[in-house]
């Protein structure tokens, strides 16, 4: 799994103009600005929708353990707002083993500020956390699963230079 992650991240980093490497966040932000006459592109992920056996219980788990509030039930209700930062969009082969269970069609990766602190909180709540001991050029990773077995990768990016 380590080799696959390194290869994937290396390819993605190169493809993104090293946007995921420390010190290059400013370049990535500047590249995202619209240029006159440039092709229109999406600005980010506006939502993540998926099926669940027990949506209400699963929504509460995400709120309790990861601080993610679900879709508001009215237009005036608050919505989860994420911090600005890099987002990797990567289709995998249908035969990948990277997500674990072959029946799972997706894996989400959440950026975190302090991987060790969040891992300790999750473990204290009885959630199994597998922290990858390797520190990669773009940060550190851990893997958890929600109550329905969906894989979740936690990513603490490397700090940008000067921050």
């Amino acid at each position: 799994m380590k080799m696959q992650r390194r290869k994937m991240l290396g390819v993605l980093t190169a493809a993104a103009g090293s946007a995921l490497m420390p010190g290059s966040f400013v370049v990535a932000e500047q590249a995202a600005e619209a240029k006159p006459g440039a092709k229109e592109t999406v600005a980010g992920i506006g939502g993540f929708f998926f099926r669940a056996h027990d949506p209400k219980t699963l929504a509460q788990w995400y709120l309790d353990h990861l601080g993610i509030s679900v879709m508001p039930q009215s237009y005036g209700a608050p919505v989860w707002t994420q911090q600005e930062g890099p987002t990797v969009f990567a289709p995998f082969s249908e035969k990948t083993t990277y997500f674990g269970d072959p029946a799972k069609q997706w894996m989400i990766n959440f950026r975190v500020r302090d991987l060790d602190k969040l891992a300790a909180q999750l473990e204290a709540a009885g959630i199994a956390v597998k922290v990858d001991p390797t520190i990669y050029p773009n940060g550190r990773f851990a893997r958890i699963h929600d109550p329905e077995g969906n894989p979740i990768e936690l990513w603490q990016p490397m700090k940008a230079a000067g921050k």
Side-chain angles (χ1 to χ4, degrees), residues 118-137:
L118 182 56
Q121 287 174 197
L122 293 168
E123 288 172 337
I127 299 167
V129 180
K130 184 177 180 189
V131 176
D132 186 332
T134 303
I135 298 174
Y136 298 92

Side-chain angles (χ1 to χ4, degrees), residues 38-49:
K39 182 178 176 183
E40 185 66 23
T41 62
V42 298
I45 296 173
F48 179 68
F49 309 95

Side-chain angles (χ1 to χ4, degrees), residues 7-41:
K7 183 178 178 185
M8 175 193 70
L9 292 173
V11 169
L12 293 172
T13 300
S18 298
L20 300 178
M21 295 299 290
S24 64
F25 292 106
V26 174
V27 175
E29 289 169 7
Q30 291 171 348
E33 293 176 10
K35 296 177 185 172
K39 182 178 176 183
E40 185 66 23
T41 62

Side-chain angles (χ1 to χ4, degrees), residues 70-126:
V70 295
M71 185 169 59
Q73 299 304 305
S74 67
Y75 285 104
V79 65
W80 175 55
T81 303
Q82 59 181 313
Q83 288 183 337
E84 182 177 310
T87 301
V88 175
F89 183 80
F92 279 70
S93 164
E94 65 186 355
K95 296 179 181 172
T96 187
T97 58
Y98 192 64
F99 303 170
D101 181 351
K104 300 301 178 185
Q105 296 297 308
W106 60 270
M107 180 183 73
I108 192 160
N109 171 298
F110 290 118
R111 275 180 273 114
V112 302
R113 287 180 292 276
D114 187 331
L115 185 63
D116 294 323
K117 185 175 181 179
L118 182 56
Q121 287 174 197
L122 293 168
E123 288 172 337

